[in-house]
Structures are given as structure tokens and as C-alpha cells.
Amino acid sequence: MADAGGVIAFAVVETRHRNPLLPPRVVWDRTRGVYLALGPATIGMFGLFLFMTYYLQTVRGYSPVLSGLAFLPLVAGMMIGSTQIGARLMLRVPARTLMSLSLLATASGIASLTAISEDSSYAALILPAMTVVGLGLGTATMLAMALAPHGVKDEDAGVASAMINTSQQVGGAIGTALLSNTPPAPATPTPHSTPPPKPTRP
């Protein structure tokens, strides 16, 4: 409640101040909708980092170094998405369409990771899912960076660009805070699991 009150107070002050830190005209511009689009994507990305690290090290028994190597397809996908897909298609495909497709790819990759189990194949499930997430996030981030200062006044270019970083940081903080407090699902015994021994009377 206190955080929400602070945001509301900040918005009121900014709308009434003669020289606002964050001019409302920057936020209300339709092109700046990338702020809202990138925030949820960052929530999913940080949640992926958190839970996949838990999964790889706790469930699969990977070492920290091997877990880091397991994330390389995600990094490679982000590099390809930002430098190749986004850079090549942003002038050929409408920005709204390209952003929607990239976020849809990100969501589908994260959703596919919900099917992992103790014996899931890294090559068959985790690697393709991480690659798709990386491609989607890389394309979306590159497009957001390009659209953030587009069409704004010269004096608003700095704050328009800074809002992208703010959206990412806020999304990451919210994602980590919310998902790290999510209680794990109770373990379901398998048909082959051994039942606990019954207590014996003295």
C-alpha cells in the first residue's frame, strides 16, 4: 500500500510541476506503450533465471559452472534476436506486429518450460525453449530501445530512453519478489516410490 501511495503521489506531483522529472506527455504517447510491454517480459525473464537455476542445481545436480553454460542458448538467442531478427525486420514489419510476435514467442518458450520434470531432456526440451525465449526477448528489447525515443522532443529523449531501463529494472524486481515467494507445489508420490515405514510400538 505504501508503494502504491508513493507512485500515486509521484504522478500527482509530476502532472502539476512546471518542470517535471517525467513529463506526462512522454508516458501517454501511444508509442511509449513499449514500457508496459517490456515490463511483463522482464518479469518472466527474471522468473526464468530464478527457477531454472533452482531446477538445474537442486533437481538436476548441475554445478554452478554447468548451470551457467546451460543458459548460453538463451544468451545466444538474445544476441541473434537483437542484432539479426529485430534489426532486419523493424523496417519491413510494423512495429506493433513485430513486438507482439516477439512477446508471443517469449511467452510460448516460458510456457513450454512448465512441462519440465526430474528426467526431462535438456537437449529436447530445455535447450529449444531457452533459445525461443532468447530470440523473443532479444527482438522485443531491441525494438523497445528503438521505439522509446522515437518521435519525442529533443528535451524528452533522455527520459524516454531512461524509462526503458526503468521498466526492465522494475519488472525484474517485481518478478523476483513475487516468484521467489511462490510456495512450491507439494510433492506427489510416484507409483514406484517407497512408502514411509510405519511406526512400531515399543
Side-chain angles (χ1 to χ4, degrees):
M1 295 298 293
D3 294 338
V7 172
I8 294 174
F10 176 78
V12 172
V13 171
E14 293 299 291
T15 55
R16 297 182 177 180
H17 202 278
R18 180 177 300 178
N19 297 307
L21 179 65
L22 177 59
R25 61 179 176 271
V26 174
V27 180
W28 294 121
D29 189 291
R30 292 183 61 184
T31 307
R32 254 49 67 189
V34 293
Y35 301 150
L36 297 177
L38 200 58
T42 311
I43 291 176
M45 179 180 69
F46 274 73
L48 172 66
F49 290 158
L50 178 67
F51 282 108
M52 285 305 300
T53 301
Y54 287 161
Y55 171 78
L56 292 174
Q57 294 191 19
T58 305
V59 178
R60 302 297 293 268
Y62 285 17
S63 66
V65 174
L66 190 58
S67 297
L69 293 176
F71 278 96
L72 286 181
L74 176 66
V75 178
M78 293 185 70
M79 294 175 60
I80 295 173
S82 60
T83 62
Q84 301 298 320
I85 300 176
R88 294 174 183 271
L89 295 182
M90 66 177 299
L91 299 179
R92 303 177 183 179
V93 180
R96 182 179 301 178
T97 302
L98 186 57
M99 177 66 78
S100 299
L101 292 176
S102 60
L103 293 177
L104 182 61
T106 303
S108 64
I110 294 176
S112 65
L113 287 174
T114 61
I116 60 176
S117 61
E118 295 181 5
D119 54 353
S120 294
S121 170
Y122 176 84
L125 177 60
I126 300 175
L127 187 150
M130 282 193 172
T131 303
V132 171
V133 171
L135 292 173
L137 280 175
T139 304
T141 303
M142 184 273 171
L143 191 61
M145 293 292 183
L147 290 177
H150 178 71
V152 301
K153 298 180 180 180
D154 292 340
E155 60 269 23
D156 295 335
V159 67
S161 298
M163 278 297 295
I164 285 293
N165 294 328
T166 302
S167 300
Q168 291 179 312
Q169 296 300 322
V170 171
I174 293 175
T176 304
L178 288 179
L179 297 176
S180 62
N181 290 322
T182 302
T188 303
T190 61
H192 302 286
S193 60
T194 304
K198 296 181 180 180
T200 59
R201 295 182 180 181

